[in-house]
């Protein structure tokens, strides 16, 4: 039989007590026990512990530190089960300690991947312009299942997606302004929208809404790129010069009709 010989405050860990034990064969050991366990198990000096109760206390003592570390980790923001596991392992808790902590956190509804995912999605919708597919990828990186991560699409209404995509697109147009043909500018912006998590359907719709901008931008870009080409090939003359400039602009994605119209005003020999 094992007997409690002394109970004292743990000076290093707030809320914990050190319980000193002695067994019939003279072996001694100490357990770090949380105050909740101390009260629940009615631990006191002189109490005899059955093998079953001692085993239970040993298991809890082993995991309670990891559990409390997990509670502190959750005080900053919600986390997925996978994130919690990685955090506790990084803190060098053993497998049994981590398992105890995660099981208890789940039981107390402090750790739930579905609740975490819903909160994560709503926060992203409220605070960013990320599309559902990017949010989905972020959730997978946090360790939740594909099924749970797929909530991103369901919790993100199409109208809100369009609104967010418009806001994001408005910030991206400067990257093509006076630089790209309509075709190339549209491709650049479509790629950015899709990388930011929006579907082709959403991307096509918001890009269609800025057609006037893209058309005007193409005219300005054609002028800027043509001036650059004419400087680049100024050592050429006549038809060679014209062909060089035309080819340069055509490779940039400008329509041949627009190129000819521009050059007809600048060069006699087209």
């Amino acid at each position: 039989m094992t007997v409690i010989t002394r109970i004292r405050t743990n000076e290093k860990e707030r809320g914990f007590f050190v319980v000193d034990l002695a067994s019939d064969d003279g072996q001694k050991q100490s357990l770090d026990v949380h105050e909740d366990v101390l009260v629940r198990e009615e631990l006191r000096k002189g109490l005899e512990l059955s093998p079953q109760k001692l085993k239970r206390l040993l298991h809890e003592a082993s995991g309670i530190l990891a559990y409390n570390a997990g509670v502190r980790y959750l005080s900053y923001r919600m986390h997925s089960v996978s994130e919690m596991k990685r955090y506790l392992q990084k803190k060098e808790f053993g497998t049994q300690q981590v398992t105890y902590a995660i099981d208890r956190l789940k039981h107390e509804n402090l750790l739930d991947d579905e609740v975490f995912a819903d909160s994560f999605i709503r926060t992203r919708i409220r605070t960013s312009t990320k599309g559902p597919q990017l949010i989905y990828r972020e959730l997978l990186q946090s360790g939740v299942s594909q099924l749970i991560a797929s909530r991103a699409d369901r919790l993100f209404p199409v109208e809100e997606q369009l609104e967010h995509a418009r806001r994001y697109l408005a910030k991206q147009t400067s990257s093509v302004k006076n630089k790209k043909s309509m075709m190339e500018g549209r491709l650049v912006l479509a790629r950015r929208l899709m990388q930011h998590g929006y579907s082709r359907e959403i991307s096509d719709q918001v890009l269609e809404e800025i057609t006037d901008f893209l058309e005007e931008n193409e005219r300005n870009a054609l002028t800027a790129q043509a001036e650059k080409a004419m400087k680049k090939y100024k050592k050429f003359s006549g038809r060679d010069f014209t062909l060089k400039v035309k080819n340069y602009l055509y490779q940039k994605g400008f329509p041949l009709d627009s190129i000819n119209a521009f050059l007809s005003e600048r060069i006699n020999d087209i």
Side-chain angles (χ1 to χ4, degrees):
M1 190 67 69
T2 301
V3 179
I4 297 176
T5 59
R6 184 169 62 155
I7 298 177
R8 49 200 164 90
T9 303
N10 188 326
E11 301 294 341
K12 295 181 179 180
E13 191 72 26
R14 185 178 178 182
F16 281 80
F17 291 84
V18 179
V19 178
D20 295 329
L21 307 172
S23 57
D24 293 339
D25 59 7
Q27 290 186 346
K28 295 181 180 180
Q29 60 180 316
S30 297
L31 298 178
D32 288 316
V33 175
H34 191 263
E35 57 188 355
D36 292 344
V37 178
L38 195 76
V39 173
R40 188 188 72 219
E41 299 292 341
E42 299 181 342
L43 302 182
R44 61 188 183 281
K45 182 179 178 180
L47 180 67
E48 293 185 347
L49 303 177
S50 67
Q52 294 79 11
K53 189 167 187 175
L54 177 61
K55 183 178 180 180
R56 187 170 67 250
L57 288 174
L58 286 169
H59 179 66
E60 269 199 284
S62 174
I64 197 69
L65 292 176
Y67 165 80
N68 281 302
V71 170
R72 287 193 294 270
Y73 189 46
L74 289 168
S75 68
Y76 300 103
R77 69 168 176 84
M78 296 181 71
H79 290 280
S80 69
V81 173
S82 182
E83 286 177 334
M84 178 62 70
K85 184 177 181 179
R86 288 197 296 267
Y87 173 77
L88 294 176
Q89 288 173 337
K90 189 176 179 180
K91 288 290 186 179
E92 299 185 350
F93 289 108
T95 302
Q96 287 188 339
Q97 291 173 302
V98 172
T99 300
Y100 171 88
I102 289 177
D103 286 348
R104 181 169 171 181
L105 290 168
K106 284 182 177 180
H107 179 72
E108 295 174 357
N109 295 321
L110 296 175
L111 203 57
D112 185 312
D113 276 356
E114 291 188 5
V115 175
F116 162 75
D118 287 358
S119 175
F120 185 94
I121 293 164
R122 291 191 173 96
T123 298
R124 284 288 187 269
I125 293 173
R126 189 177 67 252
T127 62
S128 78
T129 57
K130 294 177 180 179
Q133 293 172 14
L134 180 53
I135 297 172
Y136 169 83
R137 294 195 293 270
E138 289 181 330
L139 281 169
L140 290 182
Q141 290 173 355
S142 75
V144 305
S145 69
Q146 290 182 337
L147 181 62
I148 292 176
S150 66
R151 290 169 179 255
D153 200 51
R154 178 170 58 81
L155 294 176
F156 205 157
V158 171
E159 284 306 315
E160 284 193 74
Q161 289 186 43
L162 287 168
E163 180 185 342
H164 284 56
R166 291 183 187 111
R167 283 166 46 202
Y168 176 71
L169 185 61
K171 295 178 181 179
Q172 299 303 310
T173 52
S174 60
S175 65
V176 301
K177 191 172 184 180
N178 300 334
K179 301 174 187 176
K180 304 290 184 181
S181 66
M182 184 171 181
M183 180 182 72
E184 192 172 336
R186 187 183 176 93
L187 285 173
V188 168
L189 294 174
R191 184 167 58 248
R192 293 195 177 189
L193 281 164
M194 294 181 75
Q195 289 173 343
H196 210 59
Y198 294 100
S199 66
R200 183 175 296 278
E201 291 75 19
I202 295 293
S203 298
D204 286 346
Q205 185 167 336
V206 295
L207 285 169
E208 192 64 31
E209 294 172 2
I210 63 166
T211 297
D212 290 344
F213 162 79
L214 292 172
E215 289 177 347
E216 181 182 358
N217 185 66
E218 180 174 77
R219 290 190 290 271
N220 295 334
L222 177 59
T223 300
Q225 292 296 330
E227 294 290 347
K228 185 185 294 186
M230 287 187 288
K231 288 181 180 179
K232 181 177 181 179
Y233 299 115
K234 63 182 180 181
K235 65 180 180 179
F236 296 92
S237 60
R239 189 170 182 80
D240 287 343
F241 173 74
T242 301
L243 288 175
K244 290 283 187 183
V245 173
K246 273 189 178 183
N247 187 56
Y248 177 91
L249 295 172
Y250 188 71
Q251 289 181 350
K252 293 288 185 180
F254 294 102
L256 192 56
D257 289 347
S258 299
I259 296 172
N260 286 334
F262 175 83
L263 292 178
S264 66
E265 297 177 4
R266 299 292 302 269
I267 307 171
N268 292 325
D269 182 21
I270 298 180

